[in-house]
Every structure is written in structure tokens, then in C-alpha cells.
Amino acid sequence: MAYEPPTHSVERSLRATTGAKIVVGVDEVGRGAWAGPVTVCAAITGLRRPPTGLTDSKLLSPKKRSTLAQELETWVTAHALGHSSPEEIDDLGMTAALRLAATRALDGLPVRPDAVILDGKHNYLGSPWTVRTVIKGDQSCVAVAAASVIAKVRRDAMMAELGAAHVDFRFGDNAGYPSPVHRAALRELGPTPHHRLSWAYLDGLPRWRHLKRVRTAPEPVGLEGEGQLGFDF
């Protein structure tokens, strides 16, 4: 299926309306996973023509995504990644964990952006950043699409590495997201040190339910419960 290629229209609009000179695209991966970090990539691309085939990482095959990520990492003007660990997700909630990961990514850039294009409809970043949220920005905006691909490939590689010590969970295949193999391993072996222990899936595991953590910090309004899938037996 053919997709409309992303453009720089949102970036041009931000430059025109806010006077921003450096605009960064930000996207996350791992929000709905049961294990592993949530990862955010911040990418600055300028207004150059993007590599052929650039689109939302979820629309690309693993092989195409990996090849494109290698090209993007040298094509972008700058990029950086930030992560929030499962422990931070459990302690802070997903909204604050996303903000922390995004702040780490933005702080990792060699220059401070004047404005941020954030994928989705929720501004989890907030002050002091000038933010434009764009639904399906990972398909329509060049910088966000680039961030999407890089974040996905880099997090998948991290999960494959973590999975080497937990072969029954097949993290290299499912990246910590629920899958039949992942579910079966949880039922039999319980959560690994890389699992999020405040999440609803533990409610469906009587043998391991005692491990569930109750978060005391309130979740900010916005992403409460999004992506938290439970067992459905």
C-alpha cells in the first residue's frame, strides 16, 4: 500500500508563526509494552528532502525499517534518544515517564530547539517548550517520521539484548509487547526485572499478582491508562 510521504509543512508553519529557527520532531516507542523502557527520539532535519520511503515506523517492514534507520542517523542534522526505565514508569506513571524520556532526549541534542513537533494529541512535554501536537505526525511530518524510525529500531535492539538473558520471553521478537509467547512465559515464569509491575496484566496472573506495585504518585491528566493492556483469559 502506498502512503503519502511526510512533508515539512508543520515545521514551516511553526517557523512562520513562532519565529522558531530550530524545530525538532519527537516520537516515542514502547508506551504499550509490558516490559522494557519507553524510548523517545528527538530528531532535527531542517527542510531537506527526506530519504525515499520515510514514513511511520509501524508501516515499514523490519528489514526496511532497519536499513532506513541507518540512513537516517547520518542524514538528520542531529538526533538524540531518551529512555525511562520500567521502575520509573511504575513510580511516576506513563505521562511523567514520557516527559522524563523526552526531556532526556531533548537535553541530549547539541543545540536547544526553539519548537517541538510532538506526535499524537497529548502534550506530555509541556512548559517551557513550545509544542505543536500533530495526530499521526509520524506519517505526515518529516522530523517526527525520522524520530519514529530511529526510536523503534534502537529500542528493538535494546529489547533483543535484554532478551538474551530471558529467552522464553522472546523479547527479540515482541520487543516487550504482549504476544502469545510472552503471555505464556509470564504465566509460567512470572515477570522479569524488565517488566512494568504497576500494570494491569498482573491482575490476570493469580500466581504472580502479589508482585504488583501500587503507584502512589498521581498520574497527570492525559495518558492515564493508555496502552495498558490486561490479560484476557
Side-chain angles (χ1 to χ4, degrees):
M1 182 181 295
Y3 300 95
E4 288 292 322
T7 69
H8 294 294
S9 61
V10 176
E11 184 170 339
R12 293 182 189 277
S13 172
L14 274 171
R15 288 169 177 251
T17 58
T18 70
K21 295 182 179 179
I22 301 173
V23 179
V24 63
V26 170
D27 198 17
E28 55 77 24
V29 63
R31 187 170 70 186
W34 289 355
V38 64
T39 295
V40 173
C41 181
I44 300 172
T45 65
L47 300 177
R48 293 172 296 144
R49 182 188 297 273
T52 302
L54 178 62
T55 188
D56 172 12
S57 64
K58 297 184 292 295
L59 303 178
L60 299 170
S61 69
K63 181 178 180 180
K64 175 62 177 176
R65 196 163 51 223
S66 179
T67 300
L68 187 56
Q70 291 181 28
E71 183 177 0
L72 285 169
E73 290 195 15
T74 58
W75 175 80
V76 297
T77 303
H79 78 282
L81 287 103
H83 312 278
S84 284
S85 68
E87 294 82 7
E88 289 171 326
I89 294 169
D90 287 335
D91 288 342
L92 303 173
M94 183 52 74
T95 302
L98 279 169
R99 183 181 301 117
L100 180 61
T103 299
R104 287 167 173 166
L106 292 166
D107 287 346
L109 293 169
V111 293
R112 182 178 175 85
D114 301 309
V116 177
I117 304 173
L118 191 61
D119 181 53
K121 64 180 179 179
H122 297 290
N123 178 8
Y124 57 77
L125 191 55
S127 179
W129 302 95
T130 299
V131 176
R132 175 80 59 85
T133 57
V134 180
I135 296 174
K136 294 188 177 180
D138 48 10
Q139 292 184 40
S140 61
C141 302
V142 170
V144 180
S148 166
V149 173
I150 295 171
K152 172 64 175 169
V153 170
R154 293 285 289 274
R155 184 181 182 276
D156 281 358
M158 289 175 59
M159 292 306 299
E161 185 174 344
L162 293 177
H166 305 281
V167 294
D168 292 311
F169 289 84
R170 301 282 292 274
F171 288 154
D173 297 328
N174 58 54
Y177 285 83
S179 70
V181 170
H182 189 170
R183 291 169 183 260
L186 273 169
R187 283 192 295 265
E188 180 64 25
L189 303 172
T192 71
H194 309 296
H195 276 87
R196 304 168 187 181
L197 298 181
S198 61
W199 283 47
Y201 70 85
L202 276 170
D203 295 333
L205 295 170
R207 185 178 173 188
W208 309 105
R209 194 180 297 156
H210 66 284
L211 298 176
K212 187 172 182 180
R213 291 184 56 183
V214 177
R215 189 174 65 248
T216 55
E219 177 81 1
V221 175
L223 298 181
E224 176 70 37
E226 278 201 14
Q228 295 198 26
L229 305 177
F231 267 87
D232 184 16
F233 294 125

